[in-house]
Amino acid sequence: MILIVAEHANGKLSKSAYELASAARGLKREGGVTALVLGSGVASVAASAALIADQVLVGDSAELAQYDAEVWSAAVAQIAAEGEAEVVLIAGSRSGREYSPRVAVKLDAPLLEDVMSLKDEGGVLHAEHYTFLTRVTERVEAKAPVVVVTVKAGAFAPAVPGTTAAEQFDVDLELPKRRLVVTGSTKEKTGRIALIEADIVVSGGRGVGTPEGFVQLVEGLADQLGAAVGATRAVVDAGWRPYSEQVGQTGKTVQPKAYIAVGISGAVQHLSGMNKSKCIVAINKDGDAPIFKIADYGIVGDVKEIVPAMIQELRK
Amino acid sequence: MRILTLIRQVLDAEESVRVRNGAVELEGSKLVMDTMDEYGVEEALRLREAGAEAEIVAVSVGPARAEEALRTALAMGADRGIHVVTDVSLDAIALSAVMAQIAKAEGAELIFCGGQEADWDSQALGAATAERLGWPQATWTSALELKGSTLVGKHEADEGSESFEVVLPAVVTTQQGLNEPRYPTLPNIMKSKKKEIRKETLEAYGAAPKVKVNGVEIQVKERLKKILDGKDAAGAAAQLVKMLREDAGVIA
Ligand SMILES: Cc1cc2nc3c(=O)[nH]c(=O)nc-3n(C[C@H](O)[C@H](O)[C@H](O)COP(=O)(O)OP(=O)(O)OC[C@H]3O[C@@H](n4cnc5c(N)ncnc54)[C@H](O)[C@@H]3O)c2cc1C
């Protein structure tokens, strides 16, 4: 059996769940694909999961209303052990990458992290993932009764939901007590398309000058293109933008069809989060800025002149 | 209290990566203590400076040269080092078995670990070590304080940040912004030379890789590099939009 842990947010199954289903379908294991849905009041999420899996297990309880690494890893490891899962697929989200190592240790399993490809040959899982700040592709393999895998966002084409719903079963979970007590949170909601799911990302760096400049230029261009907004660490540290928009080694990794870098120098730690974008566009006044070395298109010029002109042009 | 800080020696961020014989070539390049690990050492020092009575032990598992990274930690102010000398490269799950055994033997109560080090791009070591010890973890920590035996801090979650409290023992993984690591001063560098680094063998811990590495490649995507001069802003903008629409087909 292949177990996929289906993430969801705001009452909807996340794109990553569809990607996990598609990754699971490519593996040659018996027993089909089982989706595990954890949360509180997740009936509609489970119903969506039933269209992409052969069986859905639902852990629906108040204790699961909020994510916790220890609670999640205990639940996933329990289900994987009871169902004798051979492969456990978890989204390569921040939380997925946080609790998956605990699942691997509990199951005494190897962990393949943030994979962008998976091949199943004679019971051996082969995968590729990035190393050295996303500059190197490493080929790895794991062979064990059960292997835990986190899957990179956007690496697999999302599965297309079927028309017949798989059976759902409620599960009894033995959950540990939470020890990391969350005392407050700043959920940053922007109303825009999610950064890691967007086809176009417009990102801004220190070169936009001020927080107002960011809104005017970066948000302005993103609005015009229906794009998500990203930012560099420099502007997040300066308090201009929320951390949830940060792209890079210590932020999010994106690979959109087009990444438009506005006033960004192109430090390796930033490139680590976007250098696999299909098309990279840079606007910077310094023709020697490293960002131009990986750009497909670009303009050497002042963002305060170029970007408004682009917005104008797009409005035409 | 005893605090462990886990250290990896990695390629300096300014160095370019080269591949030779199916592996990343490190010899001849500048190698440093990972920046994310530096935040951990710095934070341990700050907790002590804020009043916590603590011995700070830097731990590294790696080849002989990893001693230099440990020396940097000692020069920053860590009290002593433990170096498990090996040329075997362990994946995070395997390495966590070594770290957990050391933590137990040392009676550690707090472990700092980099959020994602720049060589293996892994985020798993802290969490896996916590699991082996049966401890809770706080990952991607951007602010931290110790109140009695409770850690009070902030960390980054899927969307946005959270404030948290957790009672020791615990594993904390770091994040940029947690602090500004200090530069070792000359007197501290001199002092660090006399500090103890205990050498151990990997065999003593019985850990073996769980994942096999079959090779590495640098896949550089050829970029078009069609860069326009922006002196005529309107003209350049119009041309860029046209190229994005018609040549690249990425915008409507
Ligand atoms: C461990 C670690 C992790 C890190 N993680 C990340 C990360 O996740 N993400 C990240 O982004 N960074 C990260 N960094 C920081 C990174 O090293 C850079 O400092 C940062 O990316 C720089 O941001 P920037 O490009 O906005 O600023 P700068 O480097 O200051 O660049 C600003 C650019 O704007 C241009 N400019 C200025 N004015 C104009 C104008 N009027 N018109 C056009 N161009 C203009 C300049 O020529 C310059 O190239 C990390 C660093 C470390 C050590």
Side-chain angles (χ1 to χ4, degrees), chain A residues 202-222:
Chain A
V202 181
S203 272
R206 199 140 47 185
V208 301
T210 57
E212 297 72 35
F214 196 105
V215 172
Q216 192 204 335
L217 303 175
V218 182
E219 287 199 25
L221 185 56

Side-chain angles (χ1 to χ4, degrees), chain A residues 283 299-311, chain B residues 230 232-233 236-237:
Chain A
I283 303 151
I299 299 179
V300 180
D302 190 330
V303 293
K304 289 192 265 326
E305 293 168 14
I306 306 294
V307 177
M310 283 178 72
I311 295 174
Chain B
D232 165 21

Side-chain angles (χ1 to χ4, degrees), chain A residues 30-299:
Chain A
E30 280 170 18
V33 176
T34 298
L36 174 64
V37 176
L38 300 172
S40 172
V42 289
S44 71
V45 174
S48 304
L51 299 176
I52 53 168
D54 302 315
Q55 173 183 263
V56 180
L57 302 180
V58 188
D60 194 333
S61 77
E63 284 169 281
L64 292 165
Q66 201 186 19
Y67 163 79
D68 174 85
E70 290 187 80
V71 173
W72 252 240
S73 57
V76 173
Q78 181 193 324
I79 297 298
E82 285 173 4
E84 294 178 10
E86 292 174 54
V87 182
V88 181
L89 296 179
I90 296 173
S93 59
R94 179 144 290 179
S95 55
R97 294 191 65 184
E98 182 194 42
Y99 77 80
S100 53
R102 300 192 82 118
V103 177
V105 169
K106 281 181 202 288
L107 298 174
D108 192 22
L111 172 69
L112 301 176
E113 260 184 285
D114 215 29
V115 306
M116 51 186 165
S117 73
L118 268 181
K119 245 195 253 133
D120 199 3
E121 281 170 359
V124 183
L125 272 190
H126 293 263
E128 288 174 307
H129 71 136
Y130 292 126
T131 56
F132 289 85
L133 296 177
T134 330
R135 290 176 290 176
V136 173
T137 303
E138 188 176 75
R139 281 177 281 119
V140 291
E141 65 170 66
K143 184 179 188 308
V146 51
V147 179
V148 179
V149 182
T150 55
V151 177
K152 188 171 193 60
F156 290 83
V160 179
T163 45
T164 48
E167 235 185 309
Q168 298 182 26
F169 303 91
D170 287 328
V171 288
D172 273 326
L173 297 167
E174 273 174 54
L175 301 175
K177 257 187 66 187
R178 276 163 205 267
R179 290 185 289 182
L180 187 88
V181 181
V182 175
T183 53
S185 72
T186 51
K187 283 267 186 314
E188 291 147 351
K189 283 245 106 353
T190 58
R192 267 173 215 284
I193 177 164
L195 197 46
I196 57 167
E197 297 185 359
D199 277 341
I200 308 178
V201 173
V202 181
S203 272
R206 199 140 47 185
V208 301
T210 57
E212 297 72 35
F214 196 105
V215 172
Q216 192 204 335
L217 303 175
V218 182
E219 287 199 25
L221 185 56
D223 285 342
Q224 205 57 49
L225 294 167
V229 167
T232 64
R233 180 87 219 187
V235 309
V236 171
D237 279 351
W240 298 2
R241 301 304 293 183
Y243 172 73
S244 58
E245 289 179 1
Q246 187 182 316
V247 172
Q249 180 195 2
T250 46
K252 295 202 166 77
T253 304
V254 298
Q255 40 192 348
K257 289 207 181 82
Y259 187 90
I260 305 180
V262 179
I264 292 176
S265 61
V268 280
Q269 296 92 351
H270 184 78
L271 301 187
S272 165
M274 47 65 75
N275 63 0
K276 303 298 171 193
S277 302
K278 286 178 199 77
C279 173
I280 295 175
V281 183
I283 303 151
N284 194 304
K285 69 176 180 191
D286 173 8
D288 292 328
I291 190 78
F292 284 122
K293 292 206 180 72
I294 65 154
D296 294 291
Y297 301 95
I299 299 179

Side-chain angles (χ1 to χ4, degrees), chain B residues 14-55:
Chain B
E14 301 303 320
E15 292 271 353
S16 53
V17 251
R18 287 168 291 131
V19 166
R20 229 186 72 191
N21 300 332
V24 172
E25 168 87 319
L26 295 176
E27 306 313 319
S29 296
K30 186 177 175 204
L31 301 174
V32 294
M33 181 199 319
D34 187 274
T35 320
M36 296 283 242
D37 295 342
E38 259 182 57
Y39 301 137
V41 176
E42 177 63 33
E43 201 57 26
L45 295 169
R46 289 187 187 204
L47 289 181
R48 179 158 70 188
E49 284 156 9
E53 229 173 86
E55 188 195 26

Side-chain angles (χ1 to χ4, degrees), chain B residues 102-123:
Chain B
I102 294 177
K104 268 188 207 146
E106 292 286 333
E109 279 180 85
L110 174 58
I111 299 177
F112 283 103
C113 174
Q116 175 183 319
E117 289 96 348
D119 53 349
W120 60 1
D121 289 10
S122 168
Q123 302 176 2

